[in-house]
Amino acid sequence: MEDLVKFVQDEFVIKKEMSDFSAGDTITVYYEIKEGNKTRTQFFRGVVIQRRGSGSTETFTIRKMSGTIGVERIFPINLPALQKIEVNKRGKVRRARIFYFRGLTGKKARIREKRS
C-alpha cells in the first residue's frame, strides 16, 4: 500500500526546482499572500533549522529574530504559493537539525560561514 501511495505522489505531484539548501543556511523565501481579491509577494528571511520528510511531503523550518522574539515558520517544499528560495549564506553546522539554536543569544547565536 505504501508503495502505491509513493508511486502516485511521484507521478502526479508537480515538483518545483528549488535551490539546494540545508540546515544552517540563511535563506530568503518569497511567497504569495492573498488578501481579498489582491495578491502580493512577501518574503521571510532566516536560518534553516531543519529539513524533514521526503518527496511531496518534505518541509523545512526557518527561524528569524523579530526584535527580541524568535519567530519560526514551517514551509512545505511543494507549496503552490512559494515563488522562489534564495540562499543568502551557507552555514557550517555539525547537525542536520539545529534545535539548540533556539536557546542561543548574542554572539553564541552566530553560525560560521562555509568556505567555498
Side-chain angles (χ1 to χ4, degrees):
M1 185 67 182
E2 289 179 23
D3 295 334
L4 183 63
V5 171
K6 187 168 177 59
F7 173 75
V8 171
Q9 284 178 350
D10 291 342
E11 289 295 317
F12 296 108
V13 175
I14 301 164
K15 285 217 169 192
K16 293 184 177 183
E17 289 299 319
M18 296 289 176
S19 57
D20 191 36
F21 61 92
S22 61
D25 295 351
T26 302
I27 64 172
T28 306
V29 177
Y30 294 89
Y31 58 99
E32 266 184 11
I33 290 183
K34 291 183 181 175
E35 295 173 336
N37 56 2
K38 291 187 280 186
T39 61
R40 65 184 178 86
T41 302
Q42 186 169 324
F43 67 89
F44 193 90
R45 177 180 290 135
V47 178
V48 178
I49 288 188
Q50 73 170 341
R51 284 185 77 160
R52 84 182 305 164
S54 63
S56 63
T57 61
E58 187 175 358
T59 62
F60 59 97
T61 305
I62 301 178
R63 180 180 175 84
K64 75 172 184 177
M65 293 301 290
S66 180
T68 58
I69 299 169
V71 179
E72 290 185 12
R73 179 126 190 213
I74 300 170
F75 290 98
I77 287 277
N78 288 325
L79 185 70
L82 252 167
Q83 290 180 341
K84 68 176 179 175
I85 297 174
E86 209 173 75
V87 179
N88 302 104
K89 283 195 289 188
R90 299 247 179 227
K92 182 180 178 187
V93 292
R94 295 167 65 175
R95 304 253 179 274
R97 297 184 177 172
I98 54 175
F99 295 134
Y100 65 88
F101 192 65
R102 293 172 177 155
L104 302 180
T105 57
K107 286 187 177 180
K108 289 182 179 181
R110 287 187 297 188
I111 295 177
R112 295 217 322 232
E113 201 167 343
K114 272 187 190 175
R115 288 186 175 175
S116 46

